[in-house]
Amino acid sequence: TLSSSSAASDVYKRQKLIYDLHTQGWSNKKISDYLNSKNLKTPRTRKEFTPKLIWMTIHRYQKRLSRKSNRILRIKESINISLPKEFLN
């Protein structure tokens, strides 16, 4: 049996393959036909790929890339000081 990290790695590689084929101009139908011809099954349901599933995979992969490239680190800092009463008047 495959370990869960190995299975997750396989899923990520397949998602990247689908995205790479998409960026090369392949249609969703052509990608699904290609994966099905290689006897690859969907990770969750173990069924054949459909053009709709290819579209959703591309959409989610693009969102992931967007999240990774748009990370902004925000640091919130507060300083508490005590002032003598004469400074407050």
Side-chain angles (χ1 to χ4, degrees):
T1 61
L2 293 174
S3 69
S4 63
S5 64
S6 175
S9 175
D10 289 344
V11 169
Y12 179 76
K13 286 177 187 174
R14 192 166 300 161
Q15 289 172 344
K16 183 166 177 9
L17 170 64
I18 290 169
Y19 184 73
D20 289 345
L21 293 174
H22 168 74
T23 58
Q24 292 173 24
W26 287 38
S27 69
N28 295 344
K29 173 82 169 108
K30 187 174 178 182
I31 295 171
S32 65
D33 288 346
Y34 173 76
L35 295 174
N36 292 333
S37 74
K38 297 288 184 187
N39 268 345
L40 296 173
K41 303 294 182 195
T42 63
R44 192 169 61 87
T45 61
R46 310 304 301 160
K47 294 183 179 179
E48 288 191 343
F49 284 91
T50 63
K52 175 67 176 173
L53 181 59
I54 298 300
W55 178 86
M56 188 53 104
T57 302
I58 293 165
H59 181 71
R60 288 181 177 166
Y61 192 84
Q62 287 171 330
K63 283 174 64 174
R64 179 184 301 125
L65 290 177
S66 173
R67 282 193 308 269
K68 284 187 174 186
S69 67
N70 291 336
R71 287 194 179 153
I72 298 173
L73 180 61
R74 295 178 192 252
I75 300 173
K76 189 173 182 178
E77 209 174 302
S78 60
I79 300 172
N80 296 321
I81 58 171
S82 297
L83 295 173
K85 286 184 182 182
E86 53 269 3
F87 284 110
L88 299 176
N89 293 329

